[in-house]
Amino acid sequence: MKSSRKFSTEEILHGNLLKAILSLAIPVMINSFLQTMYNLTDTYWLGKIGTEQLAAINLVTPVQNIIINFGNGITVAGSVLIAQYIGAKEKEDAKSMANQIFVCAMLFAIVCAAVCFMLTPGIVNWMGADGNTYNYAVTYLRTVIWDMPFLFMVNIFQAMHQAQGDTVTPMILNVGGIALNMILDPLLMVYFELGVFGAAIATVSAKAVPAVIAFVLLCNQSNEVCLNRHYMKLQKEKLKLILSVGLPTAIGGSTMQLGFALMSKNVYVYGTEAMAAYGIGNKVNGVITLPASGIGSATATIVGQNMGAAQRDRAEKSYKISMYISVVFLFVCGMILSRDFISTAIVSIFSEDESVIAMAADFLSIMAFWCFTNGIYNTTSGLFQGTGHTEVTMTIDATRLWVFRFLTLWFCGNILNMGVRSVWYSVVISNGISALILYVLYRTGLWKSLK
């Protein structure tokens, strides 16, 4: 593994950029797909059980994601800062930063899981759930929230390895987790008839296994960047760096997820069928846009290392190649998946309710047609994250939902009277505007100063 890391770092700094981008992005895409499969597997089996159960999970998932995305700011900061230290050949600082990230992330995960558990009934009530949907949502969220320490452990492992140019090992680690989840979901939800509680238990159990393995591997002292208790005492300067880079990402990500929670609340007004359709469309679209997310992550790593090595032109070149790949790929795939008969066939996998299928297919068709804008958005975000300008991505993430999406939702719903389709169009319009703004900011050269 050490030799593969050295090869990857050499490739990132001096080798073929296209090869470096793909070698980093493809494992990240596969890893992200495996993570997405946790939710897709739940969605599939809950769709077989009933629309209310499916709507309940879709309603509260953004609430869980608010906390997860805030904590992810810590791991994103870790990946960027470790990559910059490695690019500058400051290995002791890289190891020290990894341990600081570990302590901060695990403390955050445990405290937030406990707080969320206590506040769950009030949160679900605020979301507007009632009857069986309320009961299902409370049961699911109070159980699944305990996967946070395990999820963060895996995320730390991924951040530390990705910063070193190793995206394959985190991918392999998640294979066992998703395989276990695919076995436990039908076993607990259907065979033992545990429903949403079974879905939550399956998810927590499937994340606990790779988390334990990740911890053991991170403690291996033969690795260049590893966990060591001598580096875990909190260091003021390192914490300042983590906050300066991670806090904007944390605020942006959690603010975005709060917006998603409010979107879910607006969708629930149209009924459980609309809520189920919204969740299915979002999850399938998440799979479609995985290439953009993977290439965006690869961009952040490559830009971070090259900026750390004072190779600004190479950093910019890697961004341009990444964006072209993402946009072309998503445009072609989007044109195919936006066809009505294809989108209908896909969403039919997750529900047998005809009204849910019709709405979900309509939502998916619209999102797929415009998904190429995600290629611009994700790769440009990766550029700014790699240079430490996470305040830019924080601002755009926040305005994407709180300004563009809700303004479009209001206009389409109240002025054009488009009903539930106002939700569908608010998503693609806000994504497109945000992608354009990010690209304009790139053209200003703001990213060129390493933070």
Side-chain angles (χ1 to χ4, degrees), residues 255-291:
T255 301
M256 182 176 66
Q257 291 300 326
L258 178 57
F260 285 145
L262 291 175
M263 285 290 292
S264 296
K265 187 176 181 180
N266 278 278
V267 175
Y268 191 70
V269 171
Y270 297 100
T272 55
E273 291 83 2
M275 190 67 246
Y278 179 66
I280 292 172
N282 271 330
K283 288 181 174 65
V284 175
N285 184 63
V287 176
I288 297 171
T289 56
L290 281 178

Side-chain angles (χ1 to χ4, degrees), residues 219-233:
C219 290
N220 186 349
Q221 301 303 302
S222 65
N223 294 330
E224 292 179 355
V225 179
C226 62
L227 295 181
N228 188 311
R229 61 187 181 86
H230 296 297
Y231 293 94
M232 288 186 184
K233 183 179 179 180

Side-chain angles (χ1 to χ4, degrees), residues 57-71:
I57 286 187
N58 291 333
L59 183 67
V60 298
T61 294
V63 177
Q64 181 190 13
N65 288 341
I66 291 172
I67 304 170
I68 291 174
N69 274 263
F70 193 93

Side-chain angles (χ1 to χ4, degrees), residues 46-277:
L46 285 169
K48 302 298 181 185
I49 295 173
T51 300
E52 284 185 325
Q53 290 90 331
L54 182 57
I57 286 187
N58 291 333
L59 183 67
V60 298
T61 294
V63 177
Q64 181 190 13
N65 288 341
I66 291 172
I67 304 170
I68 291 174
N69 274 263
F70 193 93
N72 279 346
I74 300 173
T75 54
V76 167
S79 180
V80 169
L81 292 169
I82 293 169
Q84 290 179 4
Y85 283 132
I86 291 173
K89 302 187 184 304
E90 298 173 0
K91 294 182 180 179
E92 280 298 304
D93 279 323
K95 182 184 289 187
S96 175
M97 179 59 71
N99 283 268
Q100 298 294 298
I101 293 295
F102 170 78
V103 173
C104 292
M106 296 311 296
L107 286 174
F108 177 86
I110 294 170
V111 171
C112 285
V115 172
C116 184
F117 179 86
M118 292 185 290
L119 298 179
T120 290
I123 292 172
V124 175
N125 183 63
W126 173 78
M127 292 291 292
D130 53 13
N132 287 333
T133 303
Y134 172 87
N135 295 327
Y136 293 141
V138 170
T139 299
Y140 181 78
L141 185 57
R142 272 194 154 176
T143 306
V144 81
I145 197 66
W146 292 107
D147 79 339
M148 283 190 60
F150 305 126
L151 175 63
F152 275 51
M153 177 61 70
V154 174
N155 287 350
I156 292 166
F157 181 85
Q158 181 176 340
M160 289 171 62
H161 281 255
Q162 183 175 317
Q164 299 171 79
D166 174 21
T167 53
V168 175
T169 308
M171 175 196 73
I172 295 174
L173 184 66
N174 278 310
V175 171
I178 182 57
L180 180 59
N181 191 54
M182 293 179 74
I183 295 171
L184 290 177
D185 260 346
L187 182 65
L188 297 177
M189 295 168 62
V190 180
Y191 184 78
F192 288 107
E193 299 182 348
L194 295 178
V196 295
F197 180 67
I201 289 294
T203 299
V204 173
S205 300
K207 289 181 181 177
V209 173
V212 172
I213 296 172
F215 179 73
V216 172
L217 292 175
L218 287 175
C219 290
N220 186 349
Q221 301 303 302
S222 65
N223 294 330
E224 292 179 355
V225 179
C226 62
L227 295 181
N228 188 311
R229 61 187 181 86
H230 296 297
Y231 293 94
M232 288 186 184
K233 183 179 179 180
L234 295 178
Q235 302 173 31
K236 187 176 181 180
E237 292 304 315
K238 291 289 192 301
L239 291 177
K240 284 182 179 179
L241 278 174
I242 294 170
L243 287 175
S244 65
V245 176
L247 191 58
T249 299
I251 294 173
S254 59
T255 301
M256 182 176 66
Q257 291 300 326
L258 178 57
F260 285 145
L262 291 175
M263 285 290 292
S264 296
K265 187 176 181 180
N266 278 278
V267 175
Y268 191 70
V269 171
Y270 297 100
T272 55
E273 291 83 2
M275 190 67 246

